[in-house]
Coordinates of all heavy atoms in Angstrom, one line a residue:
P271 N 98.6 99.3 112.8 CA 98.6 100.8 112.6 C 99.6 101.1 111.4 O 100.4 100.2 111.1 CB 99.1 101.4 113.9 CG 99.6 100.3 114.7 CD 99.1 99.0 114.1
F272 N 99.6 102.2 111.0 CA 100.6 102.6 110.0 C 101.0 104.0 110.3 O 100.4 104.8 111.1 CB 100.0 102.6 108.6 CG 99.2 103.8 108.1 CD1 99.9 104.7 107.3 CD2 98.0 104.1 108.6 CE1 99.2 105.8 106.8 CE2 97.3 105.2 108.1 CZ 97.9 106.1 107.3
L273 N 102.1 104.4 109.7 CA 102.7 105.7 109.9 C 103.1 106.3 108.5 O 103.7 105.6 107.7 CB 104.0 105.6 110.8 CG 104.9 106.8 110.9 CD1 104.1 107.9 111.6 CD2 106.2 106.5 111.5
L274 N 102.7 107.5 108.3 CA 103.1 108.2 107.0 C 104.2 109.1 107.5 O 104.0 110.0 108.3 CB 102.0 108.9 106.4 CG 102.3 109.8 105.2 CD1 102.9 109.0 104.1 CD2 101.2 110.7 104.8
D275 N 105.4 108.9 107.0 CA 106.5 109.8 107.3 C 106.2 111.2 106.6 O 106.2 111.2 105.3 CB 107.8 109.3 106.8 CG 109.0 110.1 107.1 OD1 108.9 111.4 107.0 OD2 110.1 109.6 107.4
P276 N 106.0 112.3 107.3 CA 105.6 113.5 106.7 C 106.7 114.2 105.8 O 106.5 115.0 105.0 CB 105.3 114.4 107.9 CG 106.1 113.8 109.0 CD 106.1 112.4 108.8
V277 N 108.0 113.7 106.0 CA 109.0 114.3 105.2 C 109.2 113.6 103.9 O 109.3 114.2 102.8 CB 110.4 114.3 106.0 CG1 111.5 114.8 105.1 CG2 110.2 115.1 107.3
T278 N 109.3 112.2 103.9 CA 109.5 111.4 102.7 C 108.2 111.0 102.1 O 108.2 110.5 101.0 CB 110.3 110.2 103.0 OG1 109.6 109.3 103.9 CG2 111.6 110.6 103.7
T279 N 107.1 111.1 102.8 CA 105.8 110.6 102.4 C 105.8 109.1 102.2 O 104.9 108.5 101.6 CB 105.2 111.3 101.2 OG1 105.9 110.9 100.0 CG2 105.1 112.7 101.3
K280 N 106.7 108.4 102.8 CA 106.8 106.9 102.8 C 105.8 106.4 103.8 O 105.7 106.9 104.9 CB 108.2 106.4 103.0 CG 108.3 104.9 102.9 CD 109.7 104.4 102.9 CE 109.7 102.9 102.8 NZ 111.0 102.3 102.8
I281 N 105.1 105.3 103.5 CA 104.1 104.7 104.4 C 104.8 103.5 105.0 O 105.3 102.6 104.3 CB 102.8 104.3 103.7 CG1 102.2 105.6 103.0 CG2 101.9 103.7 104.6 CD1 101.0 105.3 102.2
Y282 N 104.7 103.4 106.3 CA 105.2 102.2 107.0 C 104.1 101.5 107.8 O 103.2 102.2 108.3 CB 106.3 102.7 108.1 CG 107.4 103.4 107.5 CD1 107.4 104.8 107.4 CD2 108.6 102.7 107.1 CE1 108.5 105.5 106.8 CE2 109.7 103.4 106.6 CZ 109.6 104.8 106.5 OH 110.7 105.4 105.9
G283 N 104.1 100.2 107.9 CA 103.2 99.5 108.7 C 102.4 98.5 108.0 O 102.6 98.2 106.8
D284 N 101.5 97.8 108.8 CA 100.7 96.7 108.2 C 99.3 97.1 107.8 O 98.6 96.2 107.3 CB 100.6 95.6 109.2 CG 100.0 96.0 110.5 OD1 99.7 97.2 110.7 OD2 99.8 95.1 111.4
L285 N 98.9 98.3 107.9 CA 97.6 98.7 107.4 C 97.7 99.4 106.1 O 97.1 100.5 105.9 CB 96.9 99.7 108.4 CG 96.5 99.0 109.8 CD1 95.8 100.0 110.6 CD2 95.7 97.8 109.5
L286 N 98.4 98.8 105.2 CA 98.5 99.4 103.9 C 97.5 98.8 102.9 O 97.0 97.7 103.1 CB 99.9 99.1 103.3 CG 101.1 99.6 104.2 CD1 102.4 99.2 103.6 CD2 101.0 101.1 104.3
P287 N 97.1 99.6 101.9 CA 96.0 99.1 101.0 C 96.3 97.8 100.4 O 95.4 97.0 100.1 CB 96.0 100.2 99.9 CG 96.5 101.4 100.6 CD 97.5 100.9 101.6
E288 N 97.6 97.4 100.2 CA 97.9 96.1 99.5 C 97.8 94.9 100.5 O 98.1 93.8 100.1 CB 99.2 96.2 98.8 CG 100.4 96.4 99.7 CD 100.7 97.9 99.8 OE1 99.9 98.8 99.5 OE2 101.8 98.2 100.4
N289 N 97.5 95.2 101.8 CA 97.4 94.1 102.7 C 96.1 93.3 102.6 O 95.1 93.9 103.0 CB 97.6 94.6 104.2 CG 97.6 93.5 105.2 OD1 97.2 92.4 105.0 ND2 98.2 93.8 106.4
P290 N 96.1 92.1 102.0 CA 94.8 91.4 101.7 C 94.1 91.0 103.0 O 92.8 90.8 102.9 CB 95.3 90.2 100.9 CG 96.7 90.0 101.3 CD 97.3 91.4 101.6
A291 N 94.7 90.9 104.1 CA 94.0 90.6 105.3 C 93.0 91.6 105.8 O 92.1 91.3 106.5 CB 95.1 90.3 106.4
L292 N 93.2 92.8 105.3 CA 92.4 93.9 105.8 C 91.1 94.1 105.0 O 90.1 94.7 105.5 CB 93.1 95.2 105.8 CG 94.3 95.3 106.7 CD1 95.1 96.6 106.4 CD2 93.8 95.3 108.1
G293 N 91.1 93.6 103.8 CA 89.9 93.8 102.9 C 89.8 95.3 102.7 O 90.7 96.0 102.5
S294 N 88.5 95.8 102.9 CA 88.3 97.2 102.8 C 88.0 97.9 104.1 O 87.5 99.0 104.2 CB 87.1 97.4 101.9 OG 85.9 96.8 102.5
D295 N 88.4 97.3 105.2 CA 88.1 97.8 106.6 C 89.3 98.5 107.1 O 90.1 98.0 107.9 CB 87.8 96.6 107.5 CG 87.2 97.0 108.8 OD1 86.7 98.2 108.9 OD2 87.2 96.2 109.7
F296 N 89.4 99.8 106.8 CA 90.5 100.7 107.3 C 89.9 101.6 108.3 O 89.1 102.5 108.0 CB 91.1 101.5 106.2 CG 91.9 100.7 105.2 CD1 91.2 100.1 104.1 CD2 93.2 100.5 105.4 CE1 92.0 99.3 103.2 CE2 93.9 99.7 104.5 CZ 93.3 99.1 103.4
R297 N 90.2 101.4 109.6 CA 89.6 102.1 110.7 C 90.6 103.1 111.3 O 91.0 102.9 112.5 CB 89.0 101.2 111.7 CG 87.8 100.4 111.2 CD 87.2 99.6 112.2 NE 86.1 98.8 111.6 CZ 85.2 98.2 112.3 NH1 85.2 98.3 113.6 NH2 84.3 97.6 111.7
F298 N 91.1 104.0 110.6 CA 91.9 105.1 111.1 C 91.6 106.4 110.5 O 90.9 106.4 109.5 CB 93.4 104.7 111.0 CG 93.9 104.3 109.6 CD1 94.3 105.3 108.7 CD2 93.8 103.0 109.2 CE1 94.7 104.9 107.5 CE2 94.2 102.6 108.0 CZ 94.7 103.6 107.1
L299 N 92.0 107.5 111.2 CA 91.6 108.8 110.8 C 92.9 109.6 110.4 O 93.9 109.4 110.9 CB 90.9 109.5 111.9 CG 89.7 108.9 112.5 CD1 89.2 109.6 113.7 CD2 88.6 108.8 111.5
F300 N 92.7 110.6 109.6 CA 93.7 111.6 109.3 C 94.0 112.4 110.6 O 93.0 112.9 111.3 CB 93.3 112.5 108.2 CG 94.2 113.7 108.0 CD1 95.4 113.5 107.4 CD2 93.8 115.0 108.3 CE1 96.3 114.6 107.1 CE2 94.6 116.1 108.1 CZ 95.9 115.9 107.5
A301 N 95.2 112.6 110.9 CA 95.6 113.5 112.0 C 96.9 114.2 111.7 O 97.7 113.7 110.8 CB 95.8 112.7 113.3
T302 N 97.2 115.3 112.3 CA 98.4 116.0 112.1 C 99.1 116.2 113.4 O 98.6 115.9 114.5 CB 98.2 117.4 111.5 OG1 97.6 118.2 112.5 CG2 97.3 117.3 110.3
G303 N 100.3 116.7 113.4 CA 101.1 117.1 114.6 C 101.0 118.5 114.9 O 101.9 119.1 115.4
Y304 N 99.8 119.1 114.5 CA 99.6 120.5 114.7 C 99.7 120.8 116.2 O 99.3 120.0 117.0 CB 98.2 121.0 114.2 CG 97.9 122.4 114.4 CD1 98.4 123.3 113.5 CD2 97.2 122.9 115.5 CE1 98.1 124.7 113.6 CE2 97.0 124.2 115.7 CZ 97.4 125.1 114.7 OH 97.2 126.5 114.9
P305 N 100.4 121.9 116.6 CA 100.9 123.0 115.9 C 102.3 122.8 115.3 O 102.9 123.8 114.7 CB 100.8 124.2 116.9 CG 101.2 123.5 118.2 CD 100.5 122.1 118.1
F306 N 102.9 121.6 115.5 CA 104.3 121.4 115.1 C 104.4 121.2 113.6 O 105.4 121.4 113.0 CB 104.9 120.3 115.9 CG 104.8 120.6 117.4 CD1 103.9 119.9 118.2 CD2 105.6 121.5 118.0 CE1 103.8 120.1 119.5 CE2 105.5 121.8 119.3 CZ 104.6 121.1 120.1
C307 N 103.4 120.6 113.0 CA 103.3 120.4 111.6 C 102.1 121.1 111.0 O 100.9 120.8 111.5 CB 103.2 118.9 111.3 SG 104.6 117.9 111.8
P308 N 102.2 122.0 110.1 CA 101.0 122.7 109.6 C 100.0 121.7 109.0 O 100.4 120.8 108.3 CB 101.6 123.6 108.5 CG 103.0 123.8 108.9 CD 103.4 122.5 109.5
I309 N 98.7 121.9 109.2 CA 97.7 121.0 108.7 C 97.7 120.9 107.2 O 97.7 119.8 106.6 CB 96.3 121.5 109.2 CG1 96.2 121.4 110.7 CG2 95.2 120.7 108.6 CD1 95.0 122.0 111.4
G310 N 97.7 122.1 106.5 CA 97.7 122.1 105.0 C 98.9 121.3 104.5 O 98.8 120.6 103.5
E311 N 100.1 121.6 105.0 CA 101.3 120.9 104.5 C 101.2 119.4 104.8 O 101.6 118.6 103.9 CB 102.5 121.5 105.3 CG 103.8 120.9 104.8 CD 105.0 121.6 105.5 OE1 105.0 122.8 105.7 OE2 105.9 120.8 106.0
T312 N 100.7 119.0 105.9 CA 100.6 117.5 106.2 C 99.6 116.9 105.3 O 99.8 115.8 104.7 CB 100.1 117.3 107.7 OG1 101.1 118.0 108.5 CG2 100.0 115.9 108.0
L313 N 98.5 117.6 105.0 CA 97.5 117.1 104.1 C 98.0 116.9 102.7 O 97.8 115.9 102.0 CB 96.2 117.9 104.1 CG 95.1 117.5 103.1 CD1 94.6 116.1 103.4 CD2 93.9 118.5 103.2
D314 N 98.8 117.9 102.2 CA 99.4 117.9 100.9 C 100.3 116.7 100.8 O 100.4 116.0 99.8 CB 100.2 119.1 100.6 CG 99.4 120.4 100.4 OD1 98.2 120.2 100.1 OD2 99.9 121.5 100.5
R315 N 101.1 116.4 101.9 CA 102.0 115.2 101.8 C 101.2 113.9 101.8 O 101.6 112.9 101.1 CB 102.9 115.2 103.0 CG 103.9 116.3 102.9 CD 104.8 116.4 104.1 NE 105.8 117.4 103.8 CZ 106.6 118.0 104.8 NH1 106.4 117.7 106.0 NH2 107.5 118.9 104.5
V316 N 100.1 113.8 102.5 CA 99.3 112.6 102.4 C 98.7 112.4 101.0 O 98.8 111.3 100.5 CB 98.1 112.7 103.5 CG1 97.1 111.6 103.2 CG2 98.6 112.6 104.9
L317 N 98.2 113.5 100.4 CA 97.7 113.4 99.1 C 98.7 113.0 98.1 O 98.4 112.4 97.1 CB 97.0 114.8 98.7 CG 95.8 115.1 99.6 CD1 95.3 116.5 99.2 CD2 94.7 114.1 99.4
A318 N 100.0 113.4 98.3 CA 101.1 113.1 97.4 C 101.7 111.7 97.6 O 102.5 111.3 96.8 CB 102.2 114.2 97.5
A319 N 101.2 111.0 98.6 CA 101.9 109.7 99.0 C 101.4 108.6 98.1 O 102.0 107.5 98.2 CB 101.6 109.4 100.5
G320 N 100.4 108.8 97.3 CA 100.0 107.7 96.4 C 99.0 106.7 97.0 O 98.9 105.6 96.5
V321 N 98.4 107.1 98.1 CA 97.3 106.3 98.7 C 96.1 106.3 97.7 O 95.7 107.3 97.3 CB 96.9 106.8 100.1 CG1 95.8 106.0 100.7 CG2 98.2 106.9 101.0
P322 N 95.5 105.1 97.5 CA 94.4 105.1 96.6 C 93.2 105.9 97.0 O 93.0 106.1 98.2 CB 94.0 103.6 96.6 CG 95.2 102.9 97.0 CD 96.0 103.8 97.9
D323 N 92.5 106.5 96.1 CA 91.4 107.4 96.4 C 90.4 106.8 97.3 O 89.9 107.5 98.2 CB 90.7 107.9 95.1 CG 91.5 108.8 94.3 OD1 92.5 109.4 94.8 OD2 91.2 109.0 93.1
D324 N 90.0 105.5 97.2 CA 89.0 105.0 98.1 C 89.5 104.9 99.5 O 88.7 105.1 100.5 CB 88.6 103.6 97.6 CG 89.7 102.6 97.5 OD1 90.8 103.0 97.2 OD2 89.4 101.4 97.8
I325 N 90.8 104.7 99.7 CA 91.4 104.7 101.1 C 91.4 106.1 101.6 O 91.1 106.4 102.8 CB 92.7 104.1 101.1 CG1 92.7 102.6 100.6 CG2 93.4 104.1 102.5 CD1 91.8 101.7 101.3
L326 N 91.8 107.1 100.8 CA 91.9 108.5 101.2 C 90.5 109.0 101.7 O 90.4 109.7 102.7 CB 92.3 109.4 100.0 CG 93.8 109.5 99.8 CD1 94.1 110.3 98.6 CD2 94.5 110.0 101.0
T327 N 89.5 108.6 100.9 CA 88.1 109.0 101.3 C 87.7 108.5 102.7 O 87.2 109.2 103.5 CB 87.1 108.5 100.3 OG1 87.4 109.1 99.0 CG2 85.7 108.9 100.6
K328 N 88.1 107.3 103.0 CA 87.8 106.7 104.3 C 88.6 107.4 105.4 O 88.1 107.8 106.4 CB 88.1 105.2 104.3 CG 87.2 104.4 103.5 CD 87.5 102.9 103.6 CE 86.4 102.1 102.8 NZ 86.6 100.7 103.0
V329 N 89.9 107.6 105.1 CA 90.8 108.2 106.1 C 90.5 109.7 106.4 O 90.5 110.2 107.5 CB 92.3 108.0 105.7 CG1 93.2 108.8 106.6 CG2 92.7 106.6 105.7
L330 N 90.2 110.4 105.3 CA 89.9 111.8 105.4 C 88.5 112.2 105.8 O 88.2 113.3 106.2 CB 90.3 112.5 104.1 CG 91.8 112.4 103.7 CD1 92.0 113.1 102.4 CD2 92.7 113.1 104.8
R331 N 87.5 111.3 105.6 CA 86.1 111.7 105.8 C 85.3 110.6 106.4 O 84.8 110.7 107.5 CB 85.5 112.1 104.5 CG 84.0 112.5 104.6 CD 83.4 112.7 103.2 NE 82.0 113.2 103.4 CZ 81.0 112.3 103.6 NH1 81.2 111.1 103.7 NH2 79.8 112.8 103.7
D332 N 85.1 109.5 105.7 CA 84.1 108.5 106.0 C 84.3 107.8 107.4 O 83.3 107.6 108.1 CB 84.1 107.3 105.0 CG 83.6 107.8 103.6 OD1 83.1 109.0 103.5 OD2 83.8 107.1 102.6
N333 N 85.6 107.6 107.8 CA 85.8 107.0 109.1 C 85.4 107.9 110.3 O 84.8 107.5 111.3 CB 87.2 106.5 109.3 CG 87.5 105.3 108.4 OD1 86.6 104.7 107.9 ND2 88.8 105.0 108.2
A334 N 85.6 109.2 110.1 CA 85.2 110.2 111.1 C 83.7 110.3 111.1 O 83.1 110.4 112.2 CB 85.8 111.6 110.8
V335 N 83.0 110.3 110.0 CA 81.6 110.4 109.9 C 81.0 109.2 110.7 O 80.1 109.3 111.5 CB 81.1 110.4 108.5 CG1 79.6 110.1 108.4 CG2 81.4 111.7 107.8
S336 N 81.6 108.0 110.5 CA 81.1 106.8 111.2 C 81.4 106.8 112.7 O 80.5 106.6 113.5 CB 81.7 105.6 110.6 OG 81.4 104.4 111.2
L337 N 82.6 107.2 113.1 CA 83.0 107.2 114.5 C 82.2 108.2 115.3 O 81.7 107.8 116.4 CB 84.5 107.5 114.6 CG 85.1 107.7 116.0 CD1 85.0 106.3 116.7 CD2 86.5 108.2 115.9
F338 N 82.0 109.3 114.8 CA 81.3 110.4 115.5 C 79.8 110.5 115.2 O 79.1 111.4 115.7 CB 82.0 111.8 115.2 CG 83.4 111.8 115.7 CD1 84.4 111.9 114.8 CD2 83.7 111.7 117.1 CE1 85.7 111.9 115.2 CE2 85.0 111.8 117.5 CZ 86.0 111.9 116.6
E339 N 79.3 109.5 114.4 CA 77.9 109.4 114.1 C 77.4 110.7 113.5 O 76.3 111.2 114.0 CB 77.1 108.9 115.2 CG 77.6 107.5 115.7 CD 76.8 107.0 116.9 OE1 76.1 107.7 117.5 OE2 77.0 105.8 117.2
L340 N 78.1 111.3 112.6 CA 77.7 112.6 112.0 C 76.6 112.4 111.0 O 76.6 111.4 110.2 CB 78.9 113.2 111.4 CG 80.1 113.5 112.3 CD1 81.3 114.0 111.5 CD2 79.8 114.4 113.4
D341 N 75.7 113.3 111.0 CA 74.7 113.4 110.0 C 75.1 114.3 108.8 O 75.0 115.5 109.0 CB 73.3 113.8 110.6 CG 72.2 113.9 109.6 OD1 72.4 113.3 108.5 OD2 71.2 114.5 109.9
V342 N 75.6 113.7 107.8 CA 76.1 114.6 106.7 C 75.3 114.5 105.4 O 75.7 114.8 104.3 CB 77.6 114.2 106.3 CG1 78.5 114.5 107.5 CG2 77.7 112.7 105.9
A343 N 74.0 114.0 105.6 CA 73.2 113.8 104.4 C 72.8 115.1 103.8 O 72.9 116.2 103.9 CB 71.9 113.1 104.8

């Protein structure tokens, strides 16, 4: 797992994009500490953290579509 510190936007953990053992298989979702952390503010911090676009797309959209078997065509 990994943790994005919402204050410093530093990423901690072993599921980072530069971990070659993971390849392109990132199976985690965006989540917030709402109502303690505002959703928009948390999203802004994630976007500012420097996570590559392909990983952001998976975390913010694609993994949820797959997990919940959503029809988004």
Side-chain angles (χ1 to χ4, degrees):
F272 86 102
L273 170 69
L274 172 66
D275 183 321
V277 175
T278 65
T279 68
K280 183 171 179 178
I281 301 173
Y282 301 90
D284 58 355
L285 291 185
L286 301 176
E288 62 270 11
N289 185 339
L292 294 173
S294 62
D295 193 19
F296 290 88
R297 294 185 182 195
F298 50 91
L299 305 173
F300 171 73
T302 70
Y304 182 82
F306 304 105
C307 298
I309 295 170
E311 183 178 314
T312 304
L313 179 58
D314 289 343
R315 289 179 176 161
V316 169
L317 295 174
V321 177
D323 288 344
D324 60 326
I325 302 302
L326 278 177
T327 299
K328 288 181 179 188
V329 171
L330 297 176
R331 181 189 182 278
D332 295 347
N333 290 345
V335 168
S336 177
L337 176 67
F338 298 112
E339 299 178 352
L340 302 174
D341 180 14
V342 295

